Amino acid sequence: MAITTMDSESAQTPQPQGSLSKGGSSLLPGGGLGAWLGPQGKHYVCGSIAAFTNIVVTFPIQKVLFRQQLHGVLAMEAVRQLQRDGLRNLYRGLLPPLLQKSTTVAIMFGLYEDFSRVLLDRGCSSGVPELATRSFAAALAGTAEAILMPFERVQTLLQDHRHHGRFNNTAHTFRTLLTENGVRECYRGLVPVLLRNGPSNVLFFGLRGPIKEQLPETSSQMGNIVNDFVCGGVLGAALGIMFYPLNVVKSRAQSQVGGAFRPCGEVLLTVWRERGSSLAMLFRGAHLNYHRSLLSWGIINATYELLLKVI
């Protein structure tokens, strides 16, 4: 989880599918698309569509946040930078996160379901607690997401105004990186991504069910959508703050093209010193990240749950 999180402290974790649709039934006559996709396939499709919807809505906010993470500037200065870049460049760099996020969120939800099913089948006979099994499944799904990190890498370069004259579009950026620096360059900043994805997935899937149980019960579809939005949004916002320094390190590392690969700790120390050893400066942009994550993960969770019922 790119932002990209898991089930409860209690030993009894709700079945993911059970919390998403009453009795696992579809709202489409005769099963429709759900019957064609199968019980596992629909989690991938619903996750992908949910992420697609979220990226289109929140991309301009993400660009403002990225400028703050990279340069340590105030939100208004980041907005002024985007204004100077012009409307033509506002959605510059949209394709990489659109491809990356729609795929990684599909992997996040789909592989979590698949890994959980396989591990629970094996774990029941060995006496492994369900919470531990689901946590491990979530961590595996988060780690698998990192395979698509090159899209995140290209997004960083296309959003950085210092590279506007060097990289034209997604295909050109990939071609340049591979030709001049090789495949390894596409995975610059991998360590902070791995440190973020696994733990955040564990927390997201672990806490999603318990948080929803604390919300007011509702029998209406709109009420369920609101509850799913609140549940996903609160979790996403909290995790966004918790892992914010790792995203700062990732942005700084991925803004570099060529040269030595610096350790994650060294990059963090450099940023810390550049920003006057100030915690407030290190977290500059975190308030915008909080609101963006609240909106993004609210949209993703609510759309995912709704689509599961519809399909």
Side-chain angles (χ1 to χ4, degrees):
M1 166 178 176
I3 261 161
T4 46
T5 341
M6 206 139 276
D7 276 12
S8 162
E9 297 282 354
S10 65
Q12 293 299 322
T13 303
Q15 291 285 344
Q17 199 167 338
S19 66
L20 301 178
S21 58
K22 297 293 184 181
S25 61
S26 169
L27 298 182
L28 293 178
L33 182 59
W36 181 73
L37 291 172
Q40 277 75 49
K42 66 179 181 179
H43 293 282
Y44 291 92
V45 173
C46 292
S48 182
I49 296 174
F52 183 96
T53 304
N54 163 63
I55 289 297
V56 172
V57 172
T58 64
F59 186 74
I61 302 175
Q62 170 60 31
K63 291 201 78 168
V64 173
L65 175 63
F66 169 76
R67 296 290 175 90
Q68 289 192 279
Q69 289 177 340
L70 186 59
H71 304 301
V73 298
L74 295 172
M76 288 309 300
E77 173 57 28
V79 170
R80 281 192 287 269
Q81 287 183 9
L82 294 180
Q83 288 175 333
R84 289 193 292 269
D85 291 344
L87 186 62
R88 180 173 176 270
N89 287 315
L90 181 61
Y91 275 86
R92 175 185 168 90
L94 173 66
L95 186 58
L98 206 58
L99 295 174
Q100 185 246 356
K101 204 67 177 174
S102 60
T103 307
T104 56
V105 174
I107 289 174
M108 172 185 163
F109 284 107
L111 283 186
Y112 170 64
E113 292 290 337
D114 287 343
F115 284 143
S116 293
R117 177 170 43 82
V118 172
L119 293 174
L120 284 173
D121 286 345
R122 298 177 180 274
C124 288
S125 58
S126 59
V128 178
E130 182 179 347
L131 179 60
T133 301
R134 290 193 179 278
S135 296
F136 186 52
L140 286 176
T143 302
E145 292 177 47
I147 295 173
L148 296 171
M149 199 201 80
F151 287 109
E152 204 167 345
R153 170 82 165 109
V154 170
Q155 176 191 356
T156 298
L157 294 174
L158 290 175
Q159 288 185 347
D160 188 349
H161 64 90
R162 295 174 301 181
H163 295 297
H164 278 187
R166 181 175 182 182
F167 301 112
N168 299 328
N169 51 45
T170 301
H172 178 256
T173 306
F174 269 122
R175 188 165 58 250
T176 303
L177 291 177
L178 291 171
T179 301
E180 296 182 0
N181 304 100
V183 175
R184 187 165 180 254
E185 184 67 30
C186 294
Y187 284 89
R188 187 182 290 271
L190 177 62
V191 172
V193 170
L194 289 174
L195 292 175
R196 176 197 67 188
N197 283 11
S200 64
N201 266 24
V202 172
L203 292 170
F204 179 80
F205 286 112
L207 297 174
R208 190 172 56 152
I211 288 177
K212 188 172 181 180
E213 289 176 1
Q214 300 305 312
L215 298 175
E217 291 187 12
T218 177
S219 57
S220 69
Q221 181 173 324
M222 182 54 66
N224 281 319
I225 292 175
V226 171
N227 281 354
D228 291 330
F229 181 91
V230 171
C231 174
V234 168
L235 263 176
L239 292 169
I241 294 295
M242 185 183 303
F243 293 97
Y244 189 79
L246 286 174
N247 282 325
V248 172
V249 171
K250 177 195 73 73
S251 295
R252 173 58 67 90
Q254 292 184 344
S255 66
Q256 176 185 337
V257 179
F261 280 68
R262 301 166 63 197
C264 183
E266 182 181 321
V267 176
L268 178 60
L269 187 59
T270 299
V271 175
W272 175 257
R273 288 171 175 168
E274 288 178 356
R275 300 188 181 182
S277 301
S278 167
L279 197 61
M281 288 294 292
L282 180 63
F283 276 84
R284 172 158 282 182
H287 70 289
L288 183 60
N289 182 70
Y290 175 88
H291 291 99
R292 183 195 65 83
S293 297
L294 184 69
L295 178 62
S296 293
W297 283 100
I299 291 173
I300 288 174
N301 197 53
T303 305
Y304 172 77
E305 300 275 10
L306 178 62
L307 287 172
L308 276 180
K309 296 172 186 175
V310 171
I311 291 178

